[in-house]
Amino acid sequence: MSTTLHSPYHLARSFASLDHLSGGRAGWNVVTSHDDHEAQNWGLDRLPDKKTRYDHADEVLEACSQLWETWDEDAVKVNRESGVFADPNAVHYRSYAGSSVWTRGGLTTPHSPQGRPVLMQAGASPRGLEFAARWAEVVFTIQSEPATMREFYGDLKERVRSVGRDPQHCLVFPSIEVLVGETEREAQEQAELLDSFRPDTGLDMVAIITGTDVSRLPLDTPFDQVPLGPDGPASQGFYDNLLGTSGSGRVRTLGEAANIMATNSQSPRLIGTADIIADQLQEQLESGCCDGFIITFALLPGDLIQFVERVVPELQKRGIYREEYAGSTFRENLQS
Ligand SMILES: Cc1cc2nc3c(=O)[nH]c(=O)nc-3n(C[C@H](O)[C@H](O)[C@H](O)COP(=O)(O)O)c2cc1C
């Protein structure tokens, strides 16, 4: 949910409720929004610039952190005989005043199993990384090459350390798309089918990422010459991933970028049998440039079922995928 479009009281209360309802399995992908169309859904003409959005997001999270501390963990007594619902000494006013955020607590929702949701983040601009280093427990990233993955991982962990946090408490999960087949041929055919989709259906997504209208540009426009919005790319992470940062570039033209977006294949793809996919996931994990993965699928629910039925048992056989949960909350399981 977006810190730009929702108030901290609403966010804190929603995630506390979700954490209660899910028994401590709530996570929040903290986004600042990056598309004016989204702003217009909420009655605004346009989004504030990126720096303003991240400054505001810092304050929203400071306010939410206060609100989540309204109730001590043991405040609720629910004693029918004495008629006491909660110990008033264990419920506190928690207010917050920043320069763009103001809220008078406390929160009406009692302390939830995790206390606060697991905070996830996917910003990749320098300001986005600064924000992630301060708050994120999971960083979600798209990196198409091992070299950029390693660089991103080292940079982020160093940023986390420099703000006084334990780098192991900020896990980095690159997103990977998996196409698994019973044979390599079957997986390849699925990839070919996806790649045959018309590139112009992905132009809208490219417009969102670059922050400009690209509909009148020829599809063979070199991607590095596609103009950007006044604030640079609307999403640095997606843009860098398409352009590539190591010189070669993932795409050369606007048409290729649109094709990637049309097939929802922003993430690097692993194509093959369960064995081949497990080999590649294991290799990346053991190379020390990530802490796990966000697995994405082009076709749902089919590809997800294939992954669960074929790849997960193979990963379990190799001892790199859990067979049961170590804890009861999302945070406990992430850290185990
Ligand atoms: C891998 C990845 C996943 C993202 N997922 C979402 C999402 O689910 N919802 C959303 O609003 N923004 C999403 N974003 C956008 C980011 O949250 C962020 O707002 C955007 O990248 C702009 O910040 P930046 O320039 O610092 O990267 C995602 C970005 C990346 C790189």
Side-chain angles (χ1 to χ4, degrees), residues 93-104:
Y93 278 107
R94 290 284 186 214
S95 301
Y96 176 83
S99 56
S100 66
V101 170
W102 184 89
T103 179
R104 177 168 183 263

Side-chain angles (χ1 to χ4, degrees), residues 29 31-32 34 50 54 122-125 128 140-142 234-238:
N29 179 10
V31 300
T32 61
H34 58 284
K50 196 177 284 187
Y54 276 121
S125 61
F140 178 19
T141 179
I142 291 193
S235 171
Q236 192 77 49
F238 283 131

Side-chain angles (χ1 to χ4, degrees), residues 16-326:
S17 301
L18 187 61
D19 204 43
H20 277 292
L21 291 169
S22 63
R25 299 182 62 204
W28 175 10
N29 179 10
V30 183
V31 300
T32 61
S33 301
H34 58 284
D35 178 17
D36 287 338
H37 294 103
E38 206 186 332
Q40 287 151 21
N41 291 148
W42 295 92
L44 302 171
D45 284 341
R46 49 183 42 238
L47 292 170
D49 63 56
K50 196 177 284 187
K51 178 180 181 304
T52 307
R53 294 203 304 273
Y54 276 121
D55 290 350
H56 182 77
D58 268 327
E59 294 200 352
V60 169
L61 283 189
E62 284 166 13
C64 287
S65 301
Q66 288 296 317
L67 293 169
W68 285 320
E69 286 174 12
T70 302
W71 297 68
D72 290 349
E73 221 169 327
D74 58 355
V76 176
K77 302 295 180 199
V78 196
N79 186 324
R80 281 172 195 261
E81 276 159 36
S82 63
V84 171
F85 173 71
D87 173 2
N89 295 318
V91 184
H92 318 280
Y93 278 107
R94 290 284 186 214
S95 301
Y96 176 83
S99 56
S100 66
V101 170
W102 184 89
T103 179
R104 177 168 183 263
L107 201 65
T108 49
T109 317
H111 192 280
S112 71
Q114 296 187 111
R116 57 165 66 194
V118 170
L119 299 178
M120 303 181 63
Q121 223 275 324
S125 61
R127 184 65 182 91
L129 290 170
E130 186 188 323
F131 179 80
R134 181 170 177 204
W135 296 104
E137 295 168 80
V138 173
V139 168
F140 178 19
T141 179
I142 291 193
Q143 304 288 334
S144 48
E145 297 157 44
T148 55
M149 186 64 244
R150 195 161 295 112
E151 196 183 318
F152 180 88
Y153 188 84
D155 176 50
L156 185 68
K157 296 278 177 170
E158 191 44 49
R159 285 172 187 265
V160 172
R161 202 174 285 115
S162 73
V163 294
R165 293 179 63 209
D166 180 348
Q168 287 182 347
H169 291 161
C170 180
L171 302 175
V172 178
F173 294 167
S175 96
I176 306 256
E177 185 182 87
V178 170
L179 293 180
V180 56
E182 201 167 341
T183 60
E184 270 194 88
R185 183 72 227 133
E186 187 186 297
Q188 277 300 344
E189 276 170 11
Q190 197 185 338
E192 283 159 21
L193 172 71
L194 287 170
D195 289 341
S196 69
F197 293 153
R198 283 162 47 95
D200 50 1
T201 55
L203 279 178
D204 280 356
M205 288 300 295
V206 178
I208 289 174
I209 291 168
T210 54
T212 42
D213 178 2
V214 293
S215 60
R216 290 195 182 81
L217 295 175
L219 290 179
D220 61 0
T221 306
F223 189 64
D224 59 1
Q225 286 171 30
V226 171
L228 301 174
D231 211 12
S235 171
Q236 192 77 49
F238 283 131
Y239 181 74
D240 286 349
N241 179 52
L242 286 173
L243 190 62
T245 45
S246 65
S248 60
R250 185 153 185 237
V251 299
R252 280 161 303 159
T253 62
L254 172 62
E256 286 178 18
N259 189 266
I260 284 194
M261 298 315 297
T263 56
N264 191 24
S265 309
Q266 258 272 23
S267 315
R269 251 190 210 167
L270 301 185
I271 306 169
T273 59
D275 253 5
I276 294 173
I277 287 170
D279 280 348
Q280 296 187 31
L281 291 176
Q282 182 167 14
E283 193 186 314
Q284 288 197 35
L285 198 59
E286 290 174 355
S287 73
C289 60
C290 64
D291 299 306
F293 304 97
I294 302 270
I295 305 289
T296 65
F297 303 100
L299 301 172
L300 283 168
D303 289 350
L304 169 62
I305 294 169
Q306 296 285 322
F307 184 80
V308 171
E309 291 183 349
R310 292 188 173 154
V311 184
V312 169
E314 186 53 44
L315 297 172
Q316 286 173 326
K317 230 191 298 170
R318 299 169 186 221
I320 52 171
Y321 194 100
R322 63 167 64 86
E323 301 209 355
E324 51 191 43
Y325 289 115

